[in-house]
Amino acid sequence: MIEHIPSSLVLFWSAVLAFAILVYVLLDGFDLGVGILFALNRDEAHRQQMMGAIAPVWDGNETWLVLIGTTLFGAFPVVYAIFLAAFYLPVALLLVALILRGVAFEFRYKDKRHRWLWDLGFVFGSIVAAFVQGAAIGAMVAGIAVQDGRFIGGPFDWLTPFSFLCGLGLVVGYALLGAGWLVLKSEGGLRDWAYAWLPWLLAGVIGFVVLALSATFIGDLEVVRRWLAQPWLFVFPLLAGVAAWGLWRGIQARRDWQPWLMASALFVTAFAMLAGSFWPWIVPYHLTVEEAAAPAASLRFLFYGIGLVVLPVVMIYTGVVYWIFRGKVSAGAGELQTTEDNSVSTDRA
């Protein structure tokens, strides 16, 4: 047991990193989920509504991914170096997928003759982005090969049966978030369609969680010993069960706010379980947050720049955008106008 308590600056940047990852997963998770669900709905009117539901926020959601990378590079440079070396291919695939999504989002309205191609790119980019994130998480849980602060494994070490399972699980999980968001933001036929998919997606998430936990215990991974040594962590699976029950009740009662909120609660409990299982490791079983942190002078310098300026601005910007575009999206709101400013027509209820 490591008894040394990290400095206040290290704790601050650990909290910022954890917060940014969680917010990114919740926000970009639902718009990636809408892209995944795009493949299951061929109705063009519904697809326009789906685009309208994420149009004002999808690019802003990815700001949190930039903040994650900046925090790692500045506050935990050793982790940044290890992560890029271990996950070079997943990171490259993630960036390509996000670029493809952005291009497809804009071009599907300008190039109607090839709209099917841009729709395919939007779906493919969403699935790939979700999958590589889940696979990377699975690889971190299983542990990566690190020695003397350097990654010593191969370029495909991240892709194992366990990480593949985690990747598929996150694809379904993001789709669940996306369906909850569509229920919250849409009306009419699309809302009914999303409600119809929610029970299946919830069942899929539960199934993947059971499979992942079974594989974790069968594989006798190090994280299992962490769980047994800290039994208080099992409160999070119980809370996840409460969230799943709340999601099911929200589906039955047709309370539009409840599915997305409860699906988000599922992700929060899973994140808290992982964070509690790893703490104080930032690279599981190899480097603690204190060992991986930049010098105190660097952390202090970053605090005045990112901590007091950038982070509050990003939080305020995110809150304002979601407040302005609150309410339901009307049918046809996803259609981009063919004007030079590419404005998006949305209506608030």
Side-chain angles (χ1 to χ4, degrees):
M1 177 68 68
I2 297 174
E3 297 181 355
H4 179 67
I5 300 176
S7 68
S8 57
L9 278 172
V10 174
L11 289 175
F12 172 79
W13 285 110
S14 300
V16 168
L17 181 62
F19 177 73
I21 292 173
L22 179 59
V23 174
Y24 170 77
V25 167
L26 294 179
L27 299 188
D28 208 34
F30 76 70
D31 73 57
L32 287 172
V34 170
I36 294 166
L37 292 173
F38 217 69
L40 304 177
N41 194 323
R42 305 300 297 272
D43 187 293
E44 180 57 29
H46 286 178
R47 285 187 165 188
Q48 289 181 17
Q49 275 187 278
M50 293 168 81
M51 287 293 196
I54 63 173
V57 297
W58 72 272
D59 48 353
N61 292 342
E62 293 173 4
T63 303
W64 291 93
L65 186 61
V66 177
L67 186 60
I68 293 168
T70 303
T71 302
L72 276 178
F73 181 79
F76 303 101
V78 176
V79 181
Y80 184 87
I82 292 173
F83 187 87
L84 281 187
F87 300 105
Y88 182 83
L89 288 177
V91 170
L93 286 172
L94 174 63
L95 294 177
V96 170
L98 293 179
I99 292 171
L100 182 59
R101 268 172 47 90
V103 171
F105 197 100
E106 299 293 336
F107 273 70
R108 81 178 304 269
Y109 297 104
K110 299 299 183 182
D111 183 15
K112 295 186 178 181
R113 178 179 299 179
H114 300 100
R115 178 170 286 181
W116 64 272
L117 179 62
W118 303 118
D119 287 349
L120 183 62
F122 185 63
V123 171
F124 180 76
S126 301
I127 293 174
V128 169
F131 174 80
V132 296
Q133 290 177 30
I137 293 171
M140 292 289 283
V141 170
I144 57 177
V146 176
Q147 183 177 336
D148 298 328
R150 296 183 302 108
F151 175 68
I152 58 173
F156 293 98
D157 282 11
W158 62 277
L159 192 57
T160 65
F162 179 74
S163 66
F164 188 85
L165 178 66
C166 292
L168 292 180
L170 193 61
V171 170
V172 178
Y174 278 175
L176 178 68
L177 276 176
W181 184 256
L182 290 178
V183 163
L184 179 67
K185 297 293 290 183
S186 65
E187 53 192 12
L190 179 59
R191 173 177 171 271
D192 295 337
W193 180 87
Y195 263 122
W197 270 101
L198 275 171
W200 295 101
L201 294 170
L202 176 59
V205 168
I206 294 173
F208 274 109
V209 169
V210 170
L211 287 174
L213 288 176
S214 300
T216 302
F217 280 99
I218 293 172
D220 194 27
L221 301 182
E222 176 65 26
V223 72
V224 174
R225 284 181 279 279
R226 302 274 294 177
W227 293 343
L228 296 178
Q230 303 176 89
W232 61 269
L233 288 171
F234 288 99
V235 70
F236 294 115
L238 295 177
L239 292 175
V242 173
W245 178 83
L247 202 163
W248 176 251
R249 290 294 300 157
I251 296 171
Q252 290 183 318
R254 293 267 174 151
R255 288 189 285 265
D256 290 359
W257 59 269
Q258 197 163 335
W260 182 76
L261 186 63
M262 292 297 102
S264 298
L266 279 173
F267 274 83
V268 171
T269 56
F271 181 83
M273 181 76 173
L274 282 176
S277 301
F278 291 156
W279 182 260
W281 307 103
I282 190 169
V283 177
Y285 329 124
H286 294 289
L287 284 174
T288 66
V289 291
E290 188 79 13
E291 294 168 339
S298 298
L299 296 180
R300 194 176 300 112
F301 177 80
L302 287 172
F303 175 78
Y304 293 111
I306 297 178
L308 295 184
V309 179
V310 176
L311 180 60
V313 167
V314 173
M315 293 175 65
I316 292 170
Y317 160 80
T318 302
V320 168
V321 168
Y322 276 86
W323 174 256
I324 291 175
F325 292 98
R326 67 193 183 277
K328 298 283 188 178
V329 177
S330 64
E335 187 70 46
L336 295 184
Q337 303 300 313
T338 56
T339 58
E340 292 184 358
D341 61 357
N342 291 332
S343 59
V344 181
S345 173
T346 58
D347 294 322
R348 290 193 287 114

